[in-house]
Amino acid sequence: MATTADITAMRRAIALAARGLGSTSPNPVVGCVITDASGRTVGEGHHQRAGGPHAEVNALRAAAGRARGATAYVTLEPCNHTGRTGPCAQALIEAGVQRVVHAVSDPTPQATGGADTLRAAGVRVEHGLLGAEAEAGNTAWLTSVRLGRPHVSWKYAATLDGRIAALDRSSRWITSPESRADVHRLRAECDAVVVGSGTARADDPHLAVRGIPGAVQPLRVVIDTEGTAVRPGARVLDDAAPTLIAVADDVHPVLPEAIRLPRGERGVSLPALLDALQQRGVRSVLLEGGPTLAGAFAALGAIDKVIGYLAPVLLGAGPTALADAGISTIGEALRLDMTETVRIGPDLRITAIPSTAPKER
């Protein structure tokens, strides 16, 4: 039975793990808290960047010799393999940790087995404490492991009657400065920001993170099937962040940032794009495109989270947030479970996830 102290320590580990969002891919975000026999925290840490020390190692360094006989709370099962860093299970054993509580088991074949290694060395191991919370915090990496593609969050901003622009297509600004600043936080926590050719033509977006010191810039991705929307001099081509332009494989790209991908039913094949991003180490995608691109991702079953910013504004006409998603009857509607509602300035931010599991490919 988990104690209040156990829950407090694991919740702190989950909060520490979140500090790595946007900077650890292709690795997971992980947090670790070490407490001594009296329950006092003697060390804590998180995985800060791919190739750097894992959370357990950072926490052990902070604890120094005080880790002997201690309990380690880790959001993900300690790894059992040597990659760019050594196995964390062995590091915990060598430090004399007596008990390890981990929230989520590691599903990767190369890293799993840490719990068994710890038990074989006489360490008491417990699993599952705050597992749902830890999974939610690490959902991008877990999605990439389980489904073989990046986790996709669709972000949109709309009026209360669901319009993303007025009838004349004017749209700046529907939501408040506070909401727009919050979107930069979302960008900073993801590995790639994706838009389509319509957004590229209409807005000439920059897509880089602004106003967040120390943020790792995400990969800016424009799906430009015909290779005509992004031209030399576009804002997305500056040196503020890396950029990738996806064009169809029968198009001769004019930009060095372009990659050629097979065509799908609605333009560049989205599964091929997700595969390409997965191969580049992208584990989380923020979809900021317009209604057509959002509809294509929804039809594919590749939207894992919806983040809607709703402004207290009415327009009565104009384009809606989502275009054709392959849904023709109410029985096919994509049902969502709301996970959070938050006031952002005068606006409301609603976060929801599909009620059913995303499709495997």
Side-chain angles (χ1 to χ4, degrees), residues 336-349:
L336 305 171
D337 294 325
M338 283 195 294
T339 60
E340 185 184 50
T341 56
V342 179
R343 281 286 298 270
I344 305 289
D347 307 324
L348 183 66
R349 186 187 71 208

Side-chain angles (χ1 to χ4, degrees), residues 72-89:
Y73 300 86
V74 194
T75 56
L76 184 68
E77 179 185 2
C79 66
N80 198 42
H81 76 300
T82 300
R84 285 184 281 184
T85 61
C88 291

Side-chain angles (χ1 to χ4, degrees), residues 40-138:
R40 181 171 60 96
T41 297
V42 295
E44 61 180 33
H46 69 283
H47 185 39
Q48 299 175 15
R49 66 186 185 281
H54 289 186
E56 298 94 321
V57 172
N58 283 329
L60 287 170
R61 288 175 178 172
R66 295 172 294 175
R68 187 159 299 278
T71 295
Y73 300 86
V74 194
T75 56
L76 184 68
E77 179 185 2
C79 66
N80 198 42
H81 76 300
T82 300
R84 285 184 281 184
T85 61
C88 291
Q90 191 60 40
L92 292 166
I93 293 168
E94 292 174 357
V97 170
Q98 187 177 63
R99 174 178 174 237
V100 172
V101 182
H102 63 97
V104 179
S105 295
D106 194 318
T108 57
Q110 68 270 29
T112 192
D116 292 337
T117 295
L118 289 164
R119 290 190 185 96
V123 178
R124 179 181 166 194
V125 178
E126 299 169 26
H127 161 254
L129 178 63
L130 300 185
E133 290 183 31
E135 283 225 9
N138 215 5

Side-chain angles (χ1 to χ4, degrees), residues 297-309:
F297 270 86
L300 182 64
I303 290 180
D304 305 295
K305 182 188 290 185
V306 178
I307 306 165
Y309 293 85

